[in-house]
Amino acid sequence: MSRSLVTGGAGFVGSHLVDRLLARGDEVVALDNFYTGRADNIAHLRGHARFRLVEHDVIGPLPTTGEMAGRFDRIFNLACPASPPAYQRDAVYTTKTSFLGTLHALERAEADGARLLQASTSEIYGDPEEHPQRESYRGAVNTLGPRACYDEGKRVAESLCMDFRRQHGVDARLVRIFNTYGPRMDPADGRVVSNFIVQALAGEPLTIFGDGKQTRSFCFVDDLVTGFLALMDHPTEHGPVNLGNDGEFTMLELAELVLELTASRSEIVWRDRPTDDPMQRRPDLGLARSRLGFQHTVPLRAGLERTIAYFRTQRVVAQGAPRESRP
Ligand code: NAD
Ligand code: UDP
């Protein structure tokens, strides 16, 4: 049996990862401070014999007593707010979480001799001049802008992982995650998929930022978790490797698809495009395919149907969508 630590384990992606690790027989500790995560995401695991929750802020060194005593085989480092409004709410805290959280996870990996997976992001490519984005692309991040707390935080986290590999022999592995969606997204976290679905179900206008021609490539969460495990199970590959779905859609196309699938009569309203909002984004998945055998299996329409079904069960829909979706 393998023992895994998932920082950010009460979050959207983290909670799905925890489920998959438990399903294959792992012992799992989820560590989270509920900054953007939710108790509901892991409520179904209460009382599970192989699951433990530790409430802790990764800005501080990881505890070594109680549920955190004993060695971990694998550490998945996901703790970090991921939605632009959430990570810009307290930008300094976001940078600290990314830098110090990754440092502490790596120190624990070194002490335990654990393999570590770092949840990096397509945001390290910034507003990319190369399209689609390959892992060799070094990116175009505005270090001075409001997204930099997240982008630069994730970039230094990648550097730390490489330095712990070279200096301390830690088996750190990097995945660059492209926009991922699915059940358990926080209805109020402000990302485009959750915003559009919540707005459509509440009969409120869908807010498109800018002219709606900017693109994203949306990956269903189950496919992403499959990619995580493929990298962690691989004998030697350590990335960085892009993970996502390479179907590419404009935000206007996404809005129209959500309206169709929810049978909503909401109108579309146009809002200012946020500063430094990337204009286009699509992963080159060549490395993921050839080295990990990665293949996404859930097309956007099917994934949205499953996500919409989830949001229909959420109380926030009955109360109305968040009106102000930006910081
Ligand atoms: P999320 O906000 O749902 O999850 C993040 C989790 O980290 C939450 O449970 C939150 O409470 C926890 N957390 C934040 N700061 C913390 C701190 N200081 N100490 C302890 N816990 C803390 O977001 P998500 O979409 O599940 O993202 C998970 C990871 O994947 C993040 O690292 C994110 O940067 C990365 N990622 C996600 C996407 C995506 O599209 N979902 C894309 C790229 C990268
Ligand atoms: N967006 C939008 N309406 C919203 C929320 C976001 O048009 O209500 C746009 C946003 O400007 C961006 C895209 O959708 O161009 C994806 O935004 P999201 O916050 O989901 O992720 P990220 O920008 O980090 O890729």
Side-chain angles (χ1 to χ4, degrees):
M1 193 195 299
S2 186
R3 184 164 185 254
S4 291
L5 172 67
V6 180
T7 76
F12 156 54
V13 174
S15 63
H16 286 277
L17 172 63
V18 168
D19 282 350
R20 286 278 283 278
L21 292 169
L22 289 170
R24 67 187 213 168
D26 277 20
E27 212 175 277
V28 182
V29 175
L31 183 145
D32 206 296
N33 70 346
F34 295 98
Y35 185 63
T36 51
R38 295 182 300 154
D40 276 1
N41 289 344
I42 48 170
H44 59 290
L45 299 175
R46 193 168 300 146
H48 192 296
R50 283 180 283 107
F51 175 74
R52 295 287 181 274
L53 171 68
V54 172
E55 279 196 57
H56 179 75
D57 189 326
V58 295
I59 284 178
L62 301 190
T64 52
T65 57
E67 307 294 357
M68 292 290 287
R71 178 183 173 271
F72 289 104
D73 302 293
R74 293 175 174 206
I75 298 176
F76 296 84
N77 188 40
L78 275 65
C80 186
S83 136
Y87 69 64
Q88 290 174 30
R89 192 162 53 231
D90 184 343
V92 175
Y93 182 72
T94 298
T95 306
K96 284 165 83 175
T97 293
S98 218
F99 172 56
L100 294 171
T102 306
L103 175 68
H104 294 141
L106 284 162
E107 286 172 343
R108 181 63 184 255
E110 184 183 3
D112 288 7
R115 187 172 285 182
L116 179 141
L117 179 133
Q118 169 62 15
S120 190
T121 168
S122 54
E123 283 284 325
I124 68 129
Y125 301 125
D127 191 0
E129 296 129 337
E130 173 178 306
H131 191 74
Q133 293 81 52
R134 284 173 298 185
E135 290 83 350
S136 55
Y137 178 51
R138 293 187 182 178
V141 172
N142 174 11
T143 60
L144 307 177
R147 297 177 86 97
C149 59
Y150 182 73
D151 302 7
E152 293 294 331
K154 289 288 186 176
R155 286 171 72 98
V156 80
E158 286 202 0
S159 308
L160 268 180
C161 288
M162 293 309 291
D163 289 336
F164 267 75
R165 283 189 74 84
R166 286 184 287 254
Q167 255 176 270
H168 301 299
V170 171
D171 186 358
R173 302 176 174 214
L174 297 171
V175 287
R176 293 182 179 156
I177 306 166
F178 284 64
N179 296 64
T180 298
Y181 69 98
R184 300 188 194 154
M185 292 186 88
D186 181 349
D189 91 351
R191 282 181 269 194
V192 69
V193 173
S194 44
N195 271 9
F196 283 178
I197 293 176
V198 169
Q199 290 162 343
L201 292 177
E204 296 190 356
L206 273 61
T207 50
I208 290 190
F209 301 164
D211 61 8
K213 290 185 183 152
Q214 71 269 41
T215 66
R216 294 291 186 274
S217 302
F218 296 104
C219 181
F220 191 67
V221 64
D222 290 358
D223 285 335
L224 178 73
V225 172
T226 300
F228 281 9
L229 298 180
L231 183 61
M232 275 302 242
D233 290 343
H234 196 282
T236 52
E237 180 59 46
H238 56 83
V241 60
N242 292 336
L243 287 179
N245 183 315
D246 50 9
E248 185 179 1
F249 297 84
T250 67
M251 294 312 100
L252 181 57
E253 287 169 335
L254 178 70
E256 286 167 345
L257 187 53
V258 168
L259 288 175
E260 179 199 326
L261 295 176
T262 53
S264 170
R265 295 162 73 168
S266 291
E267 56 177 358
I268 289 174
V269 294
W270 308 86
R271 298 281 179 262
D272 290 345
R273 190 144 154 259
T275 307
D276 294 335
D277 190 30
M279 192 57 208
Q280 55 181 2
R281 181 182 289 156
R282 173 156 61 98
D284 181 310
L285 294 175
L287 276 187
R289 290 195 176 102
S290 63
R291 299 203 183 159
L292 304 178
F294 176 74
Q295 184 55 54
H296 46 78
T297 61
V298 184
L300 183 60
R301 175 177 284 267
L304 283 178
E305 281 169 351
R306 288 161 70 175
T307 310
I308 290 165
Y310 168 78
F311 277 105
R312 285 190 194 280
T313 69
Q314 296 299 290
R315 205 161 37 94
V316 67
V317 170
Q319 295 171 342
R323 283 188 186 280
E324 192 50 68
S325 50
R326 294 168 53 203

